Amino acid sequence: MIRVDLSITQARSVGIDRARASSSHCVVAVPGFQWWAMRANPVPVYDACTMTAWLTLEQALGAPGLRVAPVRAGLPSPWSEFVRACFHVKRIPYSLVDARDADRGLTSIKTLTGQASLPVVFWNDERPRSNWLEQLVLAERISLTPRLLPEDPVERAKVVGLIAELCSEGGFGWHRRVMMIARLLTEPTFGERERGIGQYLSQKYRHNTDSVEGSTKHCEAIVSTFAGLRASGHDYLSGSRLTALDLAWAAFAALIQPLSEDLCPMKPLWRDLYTWMPSLTPHHTVEALLSFRERIYRDWLPLPVDLG
């Protein structure tokens, strides 16, 4: 990797016509190399989303470099926001991909990856990655700094395990979705369209062993665990430096309370469904966790959140 600091004028003077910029300096990609430009802004914010336009899935399959197919259309999917945060903090430029078919289905992505969920990440001509851990490991491989996983194997296992409590099947995101599905299917304030969304999500994700009571219990326990991490007195959830665990919490905390509308514009339906207040963790402790989420966004991630 070659790192350079080019102004727009300098980039054009050497014949680079793919420069994109949101400040006086830019990041450019040259075949065979990755050229990086660091903003003068001391806050490590790098808005990769402004670097390229959205690609179709067909275009993405023929493109080089990193491509990310997130959930879009006004829905801050925690899994999508987590993987984008990892690439953003590492200042890895990527193209955004609209992976849905013309009928807005996901048949093509299912044929390609064997599953029909987003995000999916593409890196050069390697196989697509649809699992959060594979995506995180890929980010660590593409750019060694800053490290988002501890070097010590035991500490790394702890961080990965705690992220799994948020991201994995049977984790916080999974069980909050079970709770949202139940609301869509049972609350009288929702109409036929919302019922249809609930039925679709239920068929796709919900196990017949899932229950609202059990899911609520799981979510309460996970929030309590993260409250304990935050109460340890460290700057971050796993110590004195940022890790992927902090980025995962920042993304999944939306399933307690999304960022404010000015920072994360959302459709009212999803803002309502995302909002849930744990009852077993003291309110002030939950507020501290949400404030920590806001600090991670403020210090490390672009605001407002761009949901495509």
Side-chain angles (χ1 to χ4, degrees):
M1 179 185 298
I2 298 177
R3 294 174 180 257
V4 293
D5 190 357
L6 297 178
S7 67
I8 299 298
T9 301
Q10 289 170 326
R12 290 172 178 163
S13 72
V14 295
I16 298 170
D17 60 4
R18 295 186 63 191
R20 301 287 189 272
S22 59
S23 68
S24 61
H25 289 70
C26 61
V27 176
V28 294
V30 180
F33 299 96
Q34 283 184 314
W35 287 42
W36 296 67
M38 308 300 288
R39 291 183 180 180
N41 189 340
V43 178
V45 172
Y46 171 70
D47 190 357
C49 304
T50 65
M51 308 312 291
T52 56
W54 286 79
L55 303 177
T56 65
L57 182 58
E58 182 179 5
Q59 291 171 329
L61 293 177
L66 184 66
R67 292 89 76 205
V68 178
V71 174
R72 58 182 310 192
L75 177 62
S77 159
W79 291 270
S80 294
E81 295 311 301
F82 173 44
V83 69
R84 292 175 68 179
C86 292
F87 293 133
H88 179 92
V89 167
K90 285 177 170 287
R91 297 175 179 264
I92 303 172
Y94 59 86
S95 299
L96 287 166
V97 181
D98 185 350
R100 291 190 177 274
D101 304 319
D103 64 357
R104 307 312 296 161
L106 290 166
T107 302
S108 297
I109 205 75
K110 185 174 183 179
T111 300
L112 186 65
T113 66
Q115 58 84 53
S117 293
L118 301 174
V120 173
V121 173
F122 305 86
W123 172 242
N124 290 330
D125 59 355
E126 297 181 9
R127 61 179 175 80
R129 290 165 171 83
S130 57
N131 174 271
W132 65 268
L133 182 54
E134 290 185 335
Q135 293 164 358
L136 172 56
V137 170
L138 176 65
E140 289 284 84
R141 174 160 65 90
I142 295 174
S143 178
L144 299 179
T145 56
R147 290 189 65 94
L148 293 178
L149 292 174
E151 294 188 40
D152 178 76
V154 173
E155 293 303 313
R156 184 166 62 249
K158 289 179 181 178
V159 167
V160 170
L162 286 165
I163 296 173
E165 289 297 318
L166 298 173
C167 297
S168 290
E169 187 168 326
F172 184 73
W174 178 279
H175 285 292
R176 280 291 294 119
R177 185 166 53 205
V178 169
M179 296 162 66
M180 288 189 280
I181 290 170
R183 288 190 60 195
L184 286 166
L185 294 178
T186 62
E187 290 191 5
T189 53
F190 293 129
E192 183 178 348
R193 178 179 177 274
E194 290 78 18
R195 296 278 184 274
I197 294 172
Q199 290 166 358
Y200 166 78
L201 292 174
S202 180
Q203 292 171 3
K204 186 173 182 179
Y205 293 113
R206 189 172 181 179
H207 292 158
N208 56 16
T209 55
D210 289 330
S211 68
V212 173
E213 181 181 0
S215 290
T216 302
K217 183 177 178 180
H218 272 90
C219 290
E220 291 278 8
I222 292 169
V223 171
S224 177
T225 297
F226 276 79
L229 294 174
R230 189 69 198 114
S232 65
H234 298 299
D235 289 341
Y236 296 96
L237 293 176
S238 65
S240 61
R241 55 183 292 273
L242 180 85
T243 69
L245 181 60
D246 304 295
L247 300 179
W249 172 253
F252 280 80
L255 297 178
I256 297 175
Q257 179 178 295
L259 291 167
S260 59
E261 183 68 16
D262 60 319
L263 297 180
C264 184
M266 291 176 65
K267 293 180 179 178
L269 170 65
W270 293 107
R271 181 169 292 278
D272 177 44
L273 288 170
Y274 270 42
T275 302
W276 167 74
M277 183 55 64
S279 61
L280 300 184
T281 300
H283 183 77
H284 71 275
T285 303
V286 176
E287 289 297 328
L289 280 170
L290 295 174
S291 295
F292 175 73
R293 176 268 308 270
E294 291 165 7
R295 176 165 74 85
I296 295 299
Y297 266 97
R298 184 179 64 248
D299 292 351
W300 293 94
L301 301 172
L303 287 172
V305 176
D306 181 7
L307 300 176

